Amino acid sequence: INAYKKKFDSDKWSKVIAQREGSTQKEILDKWSEITKTAQDRGTNVHLIMENYIKHRKIEKGYEDFIDS
Protein backbone atom coordinates (compact mmCIF):
# COMPACT_ATOMS: atom_id res chain seq x y z
CA ILE A 1 0.00 0.00 0.00
CA ASN A 2 2.83 2.39 0.81
CA ALA A 3 3.93 2.25 -2.82
CA TYR A 4 0.59 3.74 -3.89
CA LYS A 5 -0.28 6.07 -1.08
CA LYS A 6 1.61 9.05 0.30
CA LYS A 7 2.58 8.96 3.97
CA PHE A 8 0.25 11.05 6.13
CA ASP A 9 1.91 14.40 6.82
CA SER A 10 1.04 14.82 10.49
CA ASP A 11 3.17 17.96 10.79
CA LYS A 12 1.31 19.71 7.98
CA TRP A 13 -2.19 18.58 8.93
CA SER A 14 -1.80 19.13 12.66
CA LYS A 15 -0.90 22.76 11.92
CA VAL A 16 -4.00 23.12 9.72
CA ILE A 17 -6.28 21.54 12.33
CA ALA A 18 -4.74 23.53 15.19
CA GLN A 19 -5.31 26.78 13.33
CA ARG A 20 -8.89 25.79 12.47
CA GLU A 21 -9.71 24.72 16.03
CA GLY A 22 -7.83 27.52 17.78
CA SER A 23 -5.46 25.20 19.61
CA THR A 24 -1.77 24.44 19.43
CA GLN A 25 -0.12 21.96 17.12
CA LYS A 26 1.19 20.06 20.16
CA GLU A 27 -2.35 19.69 21.54
CA ILE A 28 -3.52 18.20 18.24
CA LEU A 29 -0.56 15.83 18.00
CA ASP A 30 -1.05 14.75 21.63
CA LYS A 31 -4.75 14.13 20.98
CA TRP A 32 -3.94 12.06 17.88
CA SER A 33 -1.34 10.10 19.84
CA GLU A 34 -3.89 9.31 22.57
CA ILE A 35 -6.47 8.20 19.97
CA THR A 36 -3.84 6.00 18.30
CA LYS A 37 -2.84 4.36 21.59
CA THR A 38 -6.49 3.70 22.51
CA ALA A 39 -7.18 2.14 19.10
CA GLN A 40 -4.06 -0.02 19.29
CA ASP A 41 -4.93 -1.24 22.79
CA ARG A 42 -8.50 -2.04 21.79
CA GLY A 43 -7.31 -3.89 18.69
CA THR A 44 -4.87 -5.93 20.75
CA ASN A 45 -7.61 -6.82 23.23
CA VAL A 46 -10.03 -7.88 20.48
CA HIS A 47 -7.29 -9.97 18.89
CA LEU A 48 -6.56 -11.72 22.19
CA ILE A 49 -10.24 -12.48 22.75
CA MET A 50 -10.62 -13.92 19.26
CA GLU A 51 -7.40 -15.89 19.48
CA ASN A 52 -8.50 -17.36 22.81
CA TYR A 53 -11.83 -18.34 21.29
CA ILE A 54 -10.22 -19.98 18.25
CA LYS A 55 -7.69 -21.91 20.34
CA HIS A 56 -9.92 -22.86 23.28
CA ARG A 57 -13.50 -22.28 22.08
CA LYS A 58 -13.93 -20.16 25.15
CA ILE A 59 -15.00 -16.55 25.59
CA GLU A 60 -13.94 -14.93 28.83
CA LYS A 61 -16.69 -13.49 31.00
CA GLY A 62 -16.71 -9.69 30.90
CA TYR A 63 -15.06 -9.52 27.48
CA GLU A 64 -16.96 -6.30 26.70
CA ASP A 65 -15.08 -4.52 29.49
CA PHE A 66 -11.80 -6.03 28.32
CA ILE A 67 -12.30 -4.59 24.84
CA ASP A 68 -13.02 -1.12 26.21
CA SER A 69 -10.05 -1.10 28.58
Side-chain angles (χ1 to χ4, degrees), residues 27-44:
E27 289 172 330
I28 298 299
L29 290 170
D30 289 347
K31 181 179 176 181
W32 289 352
S33 180
E34 183 179 324
I35 291 168
T36 298
K37 176 75 171 114
T38 299
Q40 289 171 337
D41 290 346
R42 187 168 292 168
T44 298

Side-chain angles (χ1 to χ4, degrees), residues 35-51 66-69:
I35 291 168
T36 298
K37 176 75 171 114
T38 299
Q40 289 171 337
D41 290 346
R42 187 168 292 168
T44 298
N45 290 341
V46 169
H47 182 271
L48 289 172
I49 290 167
M50 300 312 298
E51 183 177 357
F66 188 64
I67 291 172
D68 291 331
S69 62

Side-chain angles (χ1 to χ4, degrees), residues 8-33:
F8 179 70
D9 189 345
S10 60
D11 185 58
K12 173 187 172 182
W13 289 109
S14 60
K15 286 177 186 174
V16 170
I17 301 298
Q19 185 177 17
R20 183 183 74 194
E21 294 186 4
S23 59
T24 67
Q25 182 182 15
K26 183 178 181 333
E27 289 172 330
I28 298 299
L29 290 170
D30 289 347
K31 181 179 176 181
W32 289 352
S33 180

Side-chain angles (χ1 to χ4, degrees), residues 47-61:
H47 182 271
L48 289 172
I49 290 167
M50 300 312 298
E51 183 177 357
N52 189 46
Y53 178 74
I54 290 167
K55 286 181 176 179
H56 308 288
R57 297 288 185 230
K58 180 180 174 187
I59 297 177
E60 297 293 329
K61 215 172 191 181

